[in-house]
């Protein structure tokens, strides 16, 4: 899959842009805060139906405008089939999202059509942040190749919300109703747990191989998936401490507390990793995510977005990343950087067609 053309109106600080992309490498150079990441976010929006920053949709509208509009034309890997994807929103109304001029009944139906991986400085929260960040990482990957996953997740989250509402009640909640939502949590939670467990087992070798290549085999890394499901049948786990849940007013046990432990040389990455190791770790995770989806979704190569990722990496690791992403295993790539030297190195090492753009105050210009 690659993005052929993109039209943008009033998205964040980008007033208007009509862009035609290279099917391989597209580089965007400019200072911080001029709109490079906003451009990538527009591409992300068309894949996931929301901003990568999780903001309220109306906040994507440029300050001086009343609406935003994104329209992308994509070509499948076969080179014959095209997809036209539209997203738009007026202030005070619900956003519109269409595939080939037809609106979706459920936005979840769109996830996986345009697989995409973004690597950005914010990814360090995978290590430094709470378990929610790491569950989100699992969910985003699995949802792109398993179209049943989001339904399980939505049903689990609805049951969790309903159970928490009952737990917060001043009077004693209806025991039968509470049991009903607990059974719904357990049934969907165990399905989610199995899918997460299967993914992690298959993902670890891919991640290890990429980390070793970038780091020059200097460190050993690993991942460990932990879940309350490991303690026995999830329904039993949820119900055995119901009195504690009632006391605090929310559910203490379930797959909403799952975590993905990140280790280096057997120790927590959060505690032991240097800045360079931490950045190498998260870049490897994301490039492994790309490689995993490429292998899993045999008919569709994901888009790869690299947003200002080279800072705080030594020259050797930058060189390894450059060689990797410029290779034949990767499809269409979007790269932003403030440092022209990094982009020149990527382009000089590549025999593929590329476009180079300058970005300034929301204006995007193709350099001849």
């Amino acid at each position: 899959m690659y993005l052929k053309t993109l039209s943008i109106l009033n998205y964040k600080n980008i007033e208007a842009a009509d862009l035609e992309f290279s099917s391989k490498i597209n580089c965007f150079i400019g200072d911080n805060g001029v709109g490079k990441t906003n451009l990538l976010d527009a591409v992300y929006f068309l894949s996931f139906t929301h901003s990568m920053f999780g903001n309220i949709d109306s906040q994507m509208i440029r300050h001086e405008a009343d609406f935003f509009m994104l329209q992308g034309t994509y070509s499948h890997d076969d080179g014959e089939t095209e997809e036209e994807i539209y997203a738009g929103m007026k202030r005070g109304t619900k956003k519109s999202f269409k595939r080939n001029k037809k609106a979706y009944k459920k936005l979840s139906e769109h996830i996986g059509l345009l697989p995409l991986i973004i690597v950005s400085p914010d990814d360090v929260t995978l290590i430094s942040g709470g378990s929610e960040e790491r569950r989100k990482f699992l969910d985003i990957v699995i949802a792109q190749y398993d179209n049943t996953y989001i339904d399980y997740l939505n049903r689990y989250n609805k049951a969790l919300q309903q159970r928490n509402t009952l737990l917060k009640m001043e009077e004693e909640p209806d025991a039968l109703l509470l049991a009903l939502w607990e059974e719904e949590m357990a049934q969907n939670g165990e399905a989610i747990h199995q899918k997460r467990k299967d993914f992690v087992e298959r993902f670890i070798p891919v991640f290890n191989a990429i980390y070793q290549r970038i780091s020059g085999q200097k460190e050993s890394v690993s991942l460990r998936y932990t879940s309350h499901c490991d303690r026995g049948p999830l329904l039993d786990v949820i119900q055995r401490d119901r009195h504690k849940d009632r006391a605090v007013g929310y559910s203490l046990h379930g797959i909403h507390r799952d975590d993905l432990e990140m280790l280096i040389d057997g120790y927590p990455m959060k505690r032991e990793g240097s800045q360079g190791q931490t950045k190498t770790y998260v870049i490897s995770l994301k490039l492994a995510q790309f490689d995993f989806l490429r292998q899993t979704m045999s008919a569709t190569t994901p888009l790869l977005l690299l947003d200002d990722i080279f800072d705080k990496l030594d020259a050797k690791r930058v060189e390894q990343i450059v060689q990797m992403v410029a290779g034949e295993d990767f499809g269409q790539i979007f790269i932003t950087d403030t440092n022209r030297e990094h982009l020149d190195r990527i382009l000089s090492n590549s025999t593929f067609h590329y476009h180079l753009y300058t970005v300034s105050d929301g204006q995007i210009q193709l350099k001849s």
Side-chain angles (χ1 to χ4, degrees):
M1 182 74 70
Y2 75 93
L3 178 57
K4 296 178 67 176
T5 64
L6 175 64
S7 295
I8 303 174
L9 284 175
N10 300 322
Y11 191 81
K12 296 188 174 180
N13 77 326
I14 303 174
E15 181 176 1
D18 287 294
L19 305 167
E20 185 173 343
F21 297 119
S22 163
S23 61
K24 183 57 184 176
I25 297 177
N26 299 276
C27 298
F28 303 87
I29 186 79
D31 294 333
N32 289 322
V34 297
K36 304 188 304 299
T37 299
N38 291 342
L39 169 65
L40 298 191
D41 192 42
V43 178
Y44 184 99
F45 198 109
L46 289 176
S47 280
F48 291 102
T49 75
H50 60 78
S51 166
M52 61 183 168
F53 301 104
N55 295 355
I56 299 169
D57 292 326
S58 60
Q59 294 177 352
M60 303 303 106
I61 301 173
R62 192 170 59 88
H63 290 313
E64 298 83 359
D66 295 322
F67 72 96
F68 81 79
M69 185 278 293
L70 304 173
Q71 185 163 305
T73 304
Y74 295 78
S75 177
H76 283 267
D77 289 356
D78 60 15
E80 299 176 2
T81 311
E82 288 193 349
E83 303 278 358
E84 184 181 279
I85 306 299
Y86 167 91
M89 183 179 191
K90 293 180 180 179
R91 291 195 189 276
T93 66
K94 189 177 179 180
K95 71 182 168 190
S96 173
F97 210 94
K98 298 178 183 179
R99 175 185 179 187
N100 299 324
K101 297 181 169 59
K102 184 177 180 181
Y104 283 98
K105 292 181 180 178
K106 295 193 303 181
L107 291 180
S108 60
E109 296 172 357
H110 180 70
I111 308 304
L113 176 68
L114 310 172
L116 178 151
I117 308 300
I118 182 163
V119 190
S120 78
D122 291 339
D123 291 331
V124 295
T125 59
L126 283 170
I127 294 172
S128 62
S131 60
E132 181 181 357
E133 296 291 337
R134 294 178 285 278
R135 287 193 298 276
K136 183 180 176 183
F137 170 79
L138 295 172
D139 294 342
I140 286 175
V141 187
I142 300 170
Q144 289 189 80
Y145 70 84
D146 185 337
N147 57 15
T148 68
Y149 186 76
I150 287 181
D151 288 335
Y152 281 117
L153 206 57
N154 286 340
R155 288 195 293 268
Y156 178 88
N157 287 331
K158 180 182 178 181
L160 172 65
Q161 184 180 29
Q162 293 293 332
R163 183 178 190 262
N164 286 346
T165 298
L166 292 173
L167 292 171
K168 288 183 175 73
M169 293 174 62
E170 291 186 12
E171 65 273 16
E172 194 63 27
D174 185 302
L176 289 177
L177 189 56
L178 197 57
L180 179 68
W181 290 120
E182 289 168 345
E183 289 171 7
E184 183 78 0
M185 282 178 63
Q187 181 180 350
N188 290 286
E190 288 186 340
I192 293 165
H193 169 258
Q194 190 60 52
K195 290 176 183 293
R196 287 175 176 175
K197 183 179 177 182
D198 291 345
F199 162 69
V200 173
E201 288 177 355
R202 296 164 61 194
F203 182 75
I204 286 173
V206 182
F207 167 57
N208 277 330
I210 288 178
Y211 187 93
Q212 294 304 319
R213 178 173 174 182
I214 294 176
S215 70
Q217 300 184 340
K218 288 183 178 180
E219 306 100 19
S220 171
V221 294
S222 57
L223 300 167
R224 185 188 301 129
Y225 172 46
T226 61
S227 174
H228 288 153
C229 285
D230 300 331
R231 302 178 183 179
L234 187 55
L235 183 59
D236 293 346
V237 174
I238 292 170
Q239 291 184 336
R240 73 174 57 137
D241 284 329
R242 187 190 281 177
H243 65 286
K244 292 182 181 178
D245 293 358
R246 184 85 172 96
V248 298
Y250 57 87
S251 302
L252 292 167
H253 298 89
I255 57 95
H256 60 287
R257 307 298 290 269
D258 285 0
D259 205 349
L260 186 63
E261 296 181 9
M262 301 186 172
L263 308 171
I264 184 166
D265 294 330
Y267 297 98
M269 186 71 196
K270 186 174 183 177
R271 191 182 72 210
E272 299 292 328
S274 67
Q275 273 192 319
Q277 289 171 333
T278 297
K279 195 148 192 180
T280 302
Y281 202 101
V282 294
I283 290 172
S284 299
L285 278 171
K286 287 305 193 77
L287 294 183
Q289 182 183 354
F290 174 94
D291 202 37
F292 181 89
L293 286 176
R294 181 181 61 84
Q295 295 176 38
T296 306
M297 307 175 73
S298 56
T300 306
T301 303
L303 277 65
L304 179 63
L305 280 53
L306 305 177
D307 187 20
D308 193 21
I309 68 167
F310 299 112
D311 186 39
K312 295 184 175 64
L313 288 175
D314 61 55
K316 191 71 174 177
R317 297 191 184 208
V318 170
E319 183 179 350
Q320 289 296 330
I321 294 169
V322 167
Q323 289 179 358
M324 192 181 302
V325 300
E328 295 183 357
D329 289 340
F330 288 82
Q332 188 180 33
I333 305 170
F334 294 79
I335 305 172
T336 72
D337 209 303
T338 57
N339 188 333
R340 177 65 187 267
E341 180 183 337
H342 290 148
L343 298 184
D344 285 341
R345 289 178 66 184
I346 291 171
L347 300 178
S348 67
N349 280 280
S350 173
T351 59
F352 295 104
H353 181 259
Y354 67 86
H355 284 176
L356 179 63
Y357 301 83
T358 58
V359 184
S360 178
D361 296 326
Q363 301 294 314
I364 305 162
Q365 299 290 332
L366 176 64
K367 288 183 69 67
S368 57

